[in-house]
Amino acid sequence: MQEHEEYYLSPERSLTDAEKKLVWQKPMSHKPGEEEQRISNEVKRNWNRGEMKIANILLEGDAGSGKTQLAKALSANFGLPYTKVTCFADMDKSDIIGAILPVISSEQLEKLEPVEQTVLKALYESDGFQSATEILMNALEITQEQAGLKMKQLLKIAAEHSEGETVEYRFYPSEIVRAYQQGYLLEIQEPNVIRDAAVLMALNSALELDGSINLPTEIIHRHPDFIAVITTNRSYAGARPLNEALRDRVQHSEKMNLPTKEVMVERAKVKTGYQDDRVLSVLADTIIILDTTARTNAIKGVAGMRSFFYWADAVAEGASAKESLYHKVIYKITTDAEEIKILEEALEKHGLLTSLDTVTTGEVKKNENLAMTQQ
């Protein structure tokens, strides 16, 4: 038994082989942060307490602060299949619920373009385990937003090629519906970018603890194991403040900042394969000071984990730590001369510019096999 199984919410539940593959597997290097332990304890403690149950969680923080990493870790802790939906501005209700698609005849199918034929065949042959969006993403190697748009095009094409025929209609649920009905942990990324109020209302209704979703074919109720983890970025271009009704349905919220230096270093090792603790420690200290300084001085850019990973990877390959700092980190925060000066002064005050000057990688301690296991 793995130590995190103490948090399993429904230990008697039997998952299918396909569902077991969706439960996130923690790498050996995973180091739980305070947020993970706090959420896991709170959810487990309240799981069977009726109205006190915690099943909607909000993680709000800068890009690269570990929100998705934490959502996946909760999947492992709770023993629940993990899936996600990435919201976009023009989402409509079909993206929340799913779509009804006519099954057109093989003769009509052959008249379509090869791409449409490929996608429709993939949909028709699906076993119902995957959502329509996921099928399209896999078949065409496209993003979730592109898959949503493609689905709407297919609806129009299929309708045009089934006129005058008696056809079968099949409902293809969204990823949200699949997670909601089957009892998965669903990460809902950036719902604050959605423009349509009706879409937000549908999402709000679904997130009630005793909620339900009206599908074209039936009414489905929230599975008792369903957990929604809402992840949003602060100061994200195009984002609005999180809808108040949606925020009100959250039972636990975390403000995500940079993790501790120790966790940063361990994650960088996994992501990059670079194993020099001394160098990574200096780079992590630099990121932490830049992050704090940018916030204190209302500099809008972010010194986050993604910048840290790319910077560490560049240094691992022999780049100068000090020179690559600007291209991998500082210029991502700001290119304003006065703001750069503020950041440099903060680093100088803490002796970090000198430390970066003296960092020599020597023999690069990079483990390529470890990097292949990145989360």
Side-chain angles (χ1 to χ4, degrees):
M1 176 181 286
Q2 301 176 54
E3 62 180 45
H4 59 263
E5 289 184 12
E6 66 185 272
Y7 296 120
Y8 274 23
L9 302 175
S10 299
E12 304 304 316
R13 177 177 171 181
S14 178
L15 300 178
T16 66
D17 289 340
E19 288 175 331
K20 288 175 183 176
K21 292 178 181 177
L22 294 178
V23 179
W24 195 61
Q25 299 299 310
K26 291 184 179 181
M28 294 296 293
S29 61
H30 179 80
K31 193 168 184 178
E34 292 180 6
E35 298 92 346
E36 178 186 336
Q37 294 175 327
R38 181 164 49 243
I39 295 171
S40 299
N41 286 327
E42 282 294 290
V43 171
K44 180 69 173 180
R45 182 175 68 85
N46 286 277
W47 194 244
N48 297 307
R49 295 185 62 203
E51 293 182 359
M52 296 302 294
K53 182 176 184 177
I54 294 173
N56 298 327
I57 299 159
L58 172 64
L59 308 179
E60 193 168 15
D62 295 319
S65 57
K67 300 184 294 294
T68 290
Q69 174 86 3
L70 176 51
K72 289 179 177 179
L74 294 175
S75 158
N77 288 356
F78 300 146
L80 296 177
Y82 166 85
T83 188
K84 69 176 181 179
V85 58
T86 303
C87 299
F88 50 95
D90 296 323
M91 283 182 81
D92 61 25
K93 290 186 75 173
S94 70
D95 295 306
I96 299 293
I97 295 171
I100 290 181
L101 191 67
V103 181
I104 64 176
S105 66
S106 56
E107 292 81 7
Q108 292 290 343
L109 193 60
E110 290 175 1
K111 297 178 183 179
L112 301 180
E113 294 294 324
V115 171
E116 275 74 31
Q117 288 188 43
T118 299
V119 176
L120 284 170
K121 285 178 181 177
L123 285 167
Y124 296 160
E125 293 168 6
S126 65
D127 58 8
F129 180 73
Q130 290 180 301
S131 69
T133 300
E134 189 175 8
I135 293 168
L136 266 61
M137 289 170 67
N138 292 337
L140 300 178
E141 297 183 347
I142 55 178
T143 67
Q144 196 166 47
E145 183 173 359
Q146 290 169 332
L149 295 172
K150 190 65 181 177
M151 190 65 182
K152 293 174 179 61
Q153 293 173 5
L154 288 176
L155 286 169
K156 184 177 179 181
I157 291 169
E160 290 172 350
H161 285 78
S162 60
E163 287 182 359
E165 295 185 2
T166 301
V167 296
E168 170 196 351
Y169 285 85
R170 192 179 299 173
F171 176 69
Y172 293 90
S174 69
E175 194 67 19
I176 293 174
V177 165
R178 182 165 77 103
Y180 190 85
Q181 190 171 28
Q182 301 299 325
Y184 298 169
L185 185 146
L186 172 70
E187 181 187 359
I188 305 174
Q189 298 181 334
E190 306 302 332
N192 46 331
V193 304
I194 298 172
R195 291 195 188 114
D196 191 337
V199 175
L200 284 170
M201 285 179 63
L203 193 55
N204 291 342
S205 177
L207 291 181
E208 295 283 2
L209 285 179
D210 58 351
S212 60
I213 299 177
N214 292 320
L215 303 180
T217 53
E218 60 181 323
I219 297 175
I220 62 167
H221 297 279
R222 179 174 182 151
H223 191 287
D225 285 350
F226 174 69
I227 290 181
V229 179
I230 300 167
T231 56
T232 67
N233 287 335
R234 288 194 294 264
S235 305
Y236 185 83
R240 301 161 184 76
L242 189 64
N243 178 272
E244 285 301 321
L246 191 60
R247 189 181 286 274
D248 188 53
R249 283 161 176 76
V250 168
Q251 295 97 23
H252 185 96
S253 182
E254 292 280 349
K255 179 183 178 183
M256 300 288 291
N257 294 313
L258 284 173
T260 63
K261 183 170 78 170
E262 292 72 24
V263 171
M264 290 176 69
V265 168
E266 288 304 316
R267 289 185 186 171
K269 288 180 179 179
V270 174
K271 287 284 187 182
T272 67
Y274 185 42
Q275 301 299 297
D276 194 317
D277 286 280
R278 182 180 64 85
V279 175
L280 288 173
S281 179
V282 173
L283 302 190
D285 281 334
T286 303
I287 291 287
I288 291 168
I289 292 300
L290 289 173
D291 178 63
T292 302
T293 305
R295 292 178 189 280
T296 303
N297 292 275
I299 299 172
K300 291 184 178 180
V302 174
M305 290 296 288
R306 289 185 188 138
S307 297
F308 177 49
F309 294 149
Y310 281 105
W311 186 26
D313 192 62
V315 173
E317 295 297 333
S320 159
K322 189 171 181 180
E323 288 181 13
S324 57
L325 164 67
Y326 288 86
H327 304 290
K328 300 298 183 181
V329 185
I330 288 182
Y331 293 156
K332 284 185 64 179
I333 301 172
T334 180
T335 55
D336 180 86
E338 289 302 315
E339 291 181 339
I340 290 173
K341 185 178 179 182
I342 291 170
L343 297 175
E344 289 174 333
E345 287 173 350
L347 294 178
E348 188 69 52
K349 179 181 177 182
H350 290 83
L352 286 166
L353 288 181
T354 302
S355 296
L356 291 174
D357 266 331
T358 59
V359 163
T360 54
T361 58
E363 181 181 349
V364 175
K365 301 177 183 178
K366 190 166 185 179
N367 184 332
E368 297 292 352
N369 291 328
L370 184 61
M372 291 295 289
T373 68
Q374 62 182 268
Q375 303 141 49

